[in-house]
Amino acid sequence: MNRSPAILALLLAALPASAATYVRVQGTLHDAKGRPHTGLARLDFRLVDLKTHAEMWSEPLEVEAVKGTFTAFLGLTSRMPQSFAVKPTWRLTAEPPLGSSWKVGPLVEPEEDLKRAQLGRLMVRLGMDAPDARVETPYEYRK
């Protein structure tokens, strides 16, 4: 299991239950020799409590990697926990299939999502309507 410090602590959208709740993450995928993978890859995304080693959520997904970089939309097929239920010891990981020898690099929130979240907070402070925030991750859940 990849537990590097660069993995985001939590990526949960704090949206009403009626809204489409998903989180977009980016990561890297390389073969055993360190070459960037291009093509489809099945990865198992998990939210794990590092203290108890319990799996709190999981979702297997097929992602499209291009020159070693992939984007995944988490929570579309398996509902993620609500943000109020999240503990500080939970971490998001991505694991390649057993025996594949692939290496999954750090999971990060895409830069454009961070910028959209910052713009949304600024617009709210200025009394304006915020832009579409479907993939905004609450600040307090980023590490």
Side-chain angles (χ1 to χ4, degrees):
M1 183 183 313
N2 187 350
R3 292 186 182 165
S4 79
I7 291 179
L8 295 178
L10 300 168
L11 288 174
L12 297 176
L15 298 174
S18 62
T21 302
Y22 65 91
V23 173
R24 190 168 77 136
V25 296
Q26 284 183 329
T28 58
L29 184 61
H30 293 82
D31 66 17
K33 295 183 180 181
R35 295 178 299 223
H37 178 74
T38 294
L40 290 176
R42 183 184 176 277
L43 299 176
D44 292 318
F45 292 88
R46 298 180 188 341
L47 197 54
V48 177
D49 187 326
L50 296 180
K51 187 175 182 180
T52 65
H53 303 287
E55 184 177 285
M56 309 314 291
W57 168 89
S58 68
E59 184 173 40
L61 290 176
E62 243 184 39
V63 297
E64 176 74 28
V66 177
K67 297 180 182 176
T69 301
F70 67 87
T71 299
F73 292 87
L74 308 179
L76 292 176
T77 60
S78 178
R79 180 175 233 172
M80 297 183 84
Q82 295 294 317
S83 59
F84 64 81
V86 174
K87 307 286 187 246
T89 56
W90 292 9
R91 296 295 183 267
L92 180 64
T93 66
E95 299 175 16
L98 291 175
S100 69
S101 301
W102 293 346
K103 304 288 185 223
V104 179
L107 298 175
V108 297
E109 188 171 11
E111 184 67 27
E112 59 269 23
D113 291 351
L114 289 172
K115 289 179 182 175
R116 184 181 306 115
Q118 291 168 349
L119 176 62
R121 285 191 296 276
L122 176 63
M123 291 177 75
V124 167
R125 275 189 244 134
L126 295 173
M128 303 166 71
D129 288 333
D132 182 64
R134 289 174 294 148
V135 293
E136 180 177 347
T137 302
Y139 175 78
E140 58 271 16
Y141 295 129
R142 296 187 197 131
K143 286 220 180 205

